[in-house]
Structures are given as structure tokens and as C-alpha cells.
């Protein structure tokens, strides 16, 4: 196969613009450009060929680790105009869905509704350029879906909307190519097909995964498939962001939430879970204001449409990565003319300052898409990053 990767020196330019961009002397990560073509809205990391190395899935191709010098096509298609959308690829995951010993690729696509396609890896191997495709979900809503085991059966479910109702799709694991069934956890929320902001995690400490969106959170019952879940109203943001990250930010033993406040505008915050009176009580802490003003580290940028967790400096604390989704709507969003930056935010805790997030600039010409990929690509116990969006396909490996 033709190698698509090109290692470029990582040079950051000081740019004069409305958003303040802090430029480091040396980046913590080294950038590799795999493609400058717009082939996907997001990217994911997983071991596609089961060789023990993590690969990057981005649109029509997956890129083979650990050196990323080769890429392999698995379905037809090519580059598209950045003024439009890469309809075939918004988010993806790597999993052996049919238990044949070969990892497959699951992909959220769009046209006109979101849907879930499964690409089964053929027995003939990775050289086959068109893997069998099976559409298992035909109508899906929500721009930040999660693929996670909600029911506790050891198999992941696809969490999102079906006609304004929150819930999750489950596969028949004896025949994954059959249409997946939907379990509703809410009534009609009028959320809208393209609603933003979704998280999955245990908020109340009962060891069950709750489902969170911009208007509140659904409390998982003892039997997740027993009916509708109890809703706890809390508006995290009016517009909704991207992936809502659920983890213990302040180290007090319960899970908090980190989220962007507007996927196509401004603002990032974390919500402290104070567990008042034995129940969940959430307190907002601003990381980046929603008024286009500088926040942590004097940094301001818009359109943080995807976020992901990782330990980017191997200090044992969980950080997060996000950046600008460049030209999400053809250049009409707030701050669209500003640099397509990519940052990781380092978590620090101290008695004097409490919780702090320190931004580290990685790039000014890539940003994020609808999904930003994270994983250890080189075995150094530090989290690396994969990006697929209208700027192209990139990896950022820790130095």
C-alpha cells in the first residue's frame, strides 16, 4: 500500500488574532501528518490488525502503528470539499463485534440521518480494500454518542437518541449484523436530532453508569433495561458541548464532569460533585469563559466539539484534550476565522490553589473534529492523540 505519512518539523507560529494563543517554546508532542485530505469528521484509535500496536482509524483508511508509514483502505471514497461534510465518517470504534478473532470497525455516518455501520474485517485480511458493510442502526440522534457497556453484560451499547428519546442500542451478539434494538430511558425530550453534549459515568457512587446531557442526568436503575430512568434536572449549558467527561477531577472519591459549554461557540467548565446530603450536588467552575474571554492560562478559542481523557504527562492524574473544530459549518460559527488550535489541559491539584487546568498548546493548524482519538501509540505510558477533520489526518506523539 502507498505510505501516506510525512513527518514534519513541529513549528508553531505566533499568530495575531482575536483569540489569545499561548505558544510554547517546545511542544510536549511531536506532530505527524498522515494526510492533508478531508476524509473524515473524527478519528479513533484501536488495534485493527491485532498485531499488538495501536492504529488510527480516519474515514476510508486506517493507518498502521507503530510507525504509521502505511495506510489501508477498507471502504470506497475519497477526499471531499471542506465546505461540506464527510458524510460517511463522523465517529468510529474498533472492536471484534462478531467474535471471529479479527477486529472490525464501527462507524457513525450521516445521510440524511445519523446511522451506525459495521465494517467486518474479511477473512482474507487487511489487504482487502472493501470490507463488508452492515447498517445496523438507521436512525440515530446526538452529535456526541458513546459506545460503552451501560448494562454491565461486558458488551458495549451505543448511547444516544432515537426520535428525541434518550436510550441505548444493543446488538444481538449472536448475529451483530441484524438491526440493533433500542431501549428507551426517557420520554420525548424534544432534544432534536443534532443535540450536543453527552456523557456516561457513575455520578451518585452506586457503581452504575448514568447518562448525562446538557439538561441534566438520568440515574441508572439496578436493572438498566427495566424501563425509564429517574431524571435529575440540571442545565450544564444552554447550547450543549461535545463529549462530557465523567471522572474524579478533585480527588475526593466521587466523579465530576468536564464539558465544553457550546460545541460551536465558547466556554469550557468543570462541575464539582459535592455529594450534598447523600445526593449529587453540582458546582460550576469555569475553565474558559463563554463570553469569548481568556480563561485558564490566558487562552481563548471556540468550537470545542470533541474532548477526550488521557494522562498526557504520565503523572498519574487524568488530563483532557480538546481544540477547535475548524469550519464546522463552512466558516459561519463564532471565532471561525481564528487558528484551528489543539490543546491538552493538564490537571493539577494543590492545597493552595485547589484544582487547576494548565493548557498546553500542541498545534495551530489541525484542531479537533467530532471525535478526538486518544491512546498510547508508542508504549511510553503517556497518552498520544489522533485527529481527523477538515484539516486532514494527524497524530501527536509524546516526546
Amino acid at each position: 500500500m502507498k505510505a501516506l505519512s510525512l513527518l514534519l518539523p513541529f513549528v508553531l507560529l505566533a499568530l495575531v488574532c482575536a483569540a489569545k494563543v499561548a505558544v510554547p517554546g517546545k511542544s510536549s508532542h511531536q506532530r505527524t501528518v498522515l494526510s492533508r485530505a478531508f476524509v473524515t469528521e473524527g478519528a479513533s484509535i484501536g488495534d485493527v490488525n491485532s498485531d499488538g500496536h495501536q492504529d488510527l482509524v480516519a474515514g476510508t483508511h486506517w493507518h498502521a502503528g507503530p510507525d504509521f508509514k502505511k495506510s489501508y483502505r477498507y471502504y470506497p471514497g475519497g477526499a471531499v470539499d471542506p465546505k461540506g461534510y464527510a458524510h460517511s465518517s463522523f465517529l468510529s470504534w474498533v472492536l471484534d463485534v462478531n467474535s471471529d478473532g479479527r477486529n472490525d470497525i464501527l462507524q457513525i455516518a450521516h445521510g440524511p440521518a445519523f446511522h451506525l455501520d459495521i465494517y467486518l474485517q474479511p477473512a482474507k485480511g487487511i489487504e482487502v480494500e472493501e470490507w463488508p458493510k452492515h447498517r445496523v442502526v438507521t436512525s440515530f440522534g446526538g452529535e456526541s454518542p458513546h459506545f460503552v457497556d451501560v448494562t454491565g453484560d461486558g458488551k458495549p451499547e451505543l448511547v444516544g437518541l432515537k426520535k428525541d428519546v434518550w436510550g441505548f442500542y444493543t446488538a444481538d451478539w449472536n448475529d451483530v449484523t441484524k438491526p440493533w434494538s433500542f431501549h428507551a430511558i426517557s420520554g420525548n425530550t424534544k432534544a432534536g436530532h443534532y443535540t450536543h453534549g453527552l456523557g456516561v459515568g457513575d455520578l451518585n457512587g452506586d457503581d452504575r453508569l448514568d447518562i448525562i446531557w446538557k439538561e441534566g442526568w438520568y440515574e441508572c436503575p439496578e436493572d438498566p433495561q427495566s424501563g425509564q430512568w429517574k431524571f435529575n434536572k440540571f442545565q450544564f449549558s444552554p447550547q450543549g458541548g461535545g463529549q462530557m467527561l465523567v471522572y474524579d477531577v478533585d480527588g475526593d472519591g466521587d466523579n465530576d464532569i468536564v464539558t465544553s459549554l457550546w460545541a460551536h461557540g465558547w466556554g469550557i467548565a468543570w462541575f464539582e460533585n459535592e455529594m450534598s446530603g447523600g445526593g449529587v450536588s453540582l458546582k460550576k467552575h469555569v475553565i474558559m469563559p463563554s463570553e469569548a474571554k481568556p480563561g485558564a492560562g490566558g487562552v481563548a478559542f471556540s468550537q470545542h466539539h470533541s474532548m477526550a481523557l488521557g494522562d498526557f504527562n504520565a503523572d498519574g492524574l487524568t488530563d483532557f484534550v480538546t481544540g477547535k473544530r475548524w469550519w464546522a459549518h463552512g466558516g459561519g460559527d463564532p471565532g471561525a476565522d481564528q487558528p484551528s488550535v489543539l490543546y491538552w489541559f493538564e490537571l493539577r491539584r494543590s492545597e493552595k490553589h485547589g484544582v487547576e487546568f494548565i493548557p498546553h498548546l500542541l498545534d495551530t493548524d489541525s484542531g479537533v473534529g467530532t471525535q478526538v482519538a486518544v491512546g498510547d501509540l508508542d508504549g511510553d505510558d503517556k497518552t498520544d492523540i489522533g485527529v481527523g477533520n477538515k484539516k486532514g489526518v494527524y497524530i501527536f506523539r509524546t516526546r
Side-chain angles (χ1 to χ4, degrees):
M1 304 298 293
K2 185 180 292 184
L4 292 181
S5 64
L6 176 63
L7 184 63
L8 297 180
F10 187 39
V11 179
L12 295 176
L13 302 177
L15 299 172
V16 179
C17 57
K20 184 173 182 180
V21 178
V23 180
K26 181 180 180 181
S27 172
S28 59
H29 289 59
Q30 182 181 52
R31 185 179 78 162
T32 302
V33 181
L34 302 181
S35 173
R36 288 287 190 178
F38 172 37
V39 294
T40 184
E41 301 284 354
S44 62
I45 287 174
D47 186 1
V48 177
N49 56 354
S50 301
D51 66 351
H53 299 291
Q54 298 294 297
D55 311 305
L56 182 73
V57 176
T60 56
H61 288 72
W62 63 273
H63 304 265
D67 57 12
F68 296 93
K69 292 182 179 179
K70 289 185 177 180
S71 65
Y72 299 85
R73 178 184 295 278
Y74 67 99
Y75 72 89
V80 296
D81 189 338
K83 294 180 180 179
Y85 297 95
H87 288 287
S88 66
S89 175
F90 273 70
L91 302 96
S92 59
W93 299 272
V94 177
L95 179 73
D96 180 7
V97 290
N98 58 356
S99 301
D100 65 354
R102 297 182 295 272
N103 282 331
D104 311 299
I105 297 173
L106 299 90
Q107 196 161 97
I108 297 287
H110 183 273
F114 289 119
H115 42 259
L116 176 64
D117 295 328
I118 295 177
Y119 292 87
L120 296 177
Q121 186 173 157
K124 293 182 180 179
I126 59 176
E127 297 289 343
V128 177
E129 294 193 355
E130 188 169 355
W131 295 9
K133 182 177 80 170
H134 302 271
R135 183 153 297 173
V136 295
V137 175
T138 57
S139 180
F140 180 84
E143 295 206 15
S144 308
H146 288 249
F147 193 53
V148 62
D149 181 12
V150 174
T151 62
D153 64 353
K155 299 285 190 178
E157 289 81 37
L158 178 66
V159 182
L161 287 165
K162 181 179 181 180
K163 295 181 179 178
D164 299 338
V165 174
W166 287 109
F168 48 87
Y169 285 89
T170 58
D172 177 348
W173 293 103
N174 295 314
D175 186 359
V176 295
T177 63
K178 291 169 55 178
W180 289 21
S181 58
F182 182 75
H183 175 79
I185 67 163
S186 77
N188 190 330
T189 63
K190 299 182 180 180
H193 188 75
Y194 300 101
T195 194
H196 293 80
L198 180 65
V200 178
D202 179 13
L203 276 187
N204 57 359
D206 62 1
D207 295 323
R208 297 192 289 265
L209 296 184
D210 309 306
I211 295 176
I212 304 110
W213 73 301
K214 69 184 185 68
E215 299 294 336
W217 60 283
Y218 292 92
E219 185 175 338
C220 183
E222 186 173 351
D223 178 3
Q225 300 186 77
S226 60
Q228 292 190 17
W229 297 9
K230 177 184 175 182
F231 181 61
N232 301 272
K233 186 172 179 59
F234 182 89
Q235 189 174 78
F236 291 94
S237 62
Q239 295 92 351
Q243 289 81 5
M244 301 175 74
L245 311 177
V246 185
Y247 68 109
D248 187 1
V249 173
D250 51 12
D252 66 353
D254 55 42
N255 282 329
D256 312 293
I257 298 171
V258 175
T259 181
S260 54
L261 301 177
W262 185 10
H264 298 290
W266 306 89
I268 301 174
W270 75 277
F271 292 83
E272 180 182 0
N273 187 355
E274 298 180 315
M275 294 294 289
S276 175
V280 174
S281 178
L282 298 167
K283 180 181 178 181
K284 181 180 178 180
H285 300 269
V286 173
I287 300 173
M288 190 183 302
S290 55
E291 298 84 13
K293 297 178 180 178
V299 169
F301 60 94
S302 64
Q303 301 188 73
H304 351 83
H305 204 293
S306 62
M307 309 178 82
L309 296 175
D311 185 357
F312 299 98
N313 54 359
D315 66 351
L317 297 181
T318 302
D319 316 300
F320 72 89
V321 60
T322 190
K324 177 188 288 292
R325 184 186 174 199
W326 182 73
W327 265 31
H329 296 129
D333 295 300
D337 59 339
Q338 295 164 7
S340 49
V341 294
L342 179 68
Y343 279 89
W344 70 274
F345 284 74
E346 176 188 358
L347 173 61
R348 292 183 187 175
R349 301 178 188 143
S350 67
E351 291 187 10
K352 182 178 181 180
H353 300 290
V355 168
E356 294 180 284
F357 285 100
I358 311 301
H360 297 269
L361 179 63
L362 298 178
D363 197 18
T364 60
D365 191 30
S366 56
V368 298
T370 53
Q371 180 188 34
V372 57
V374 291
D376 185 1
L377 299 177
D378 46 21
D380 63 356
D381 295 325
K382 297 179 181 179
T383 304
D384 306 301
I385 301 162
V387 170
N389 61 15
K390 296 182 180 185
K391 286 283 186 175
V393 181
Y394 308 80
I395 59 171
F396 294 84
R397 285 181 284 197
T398 51
R399 293 182 184 273

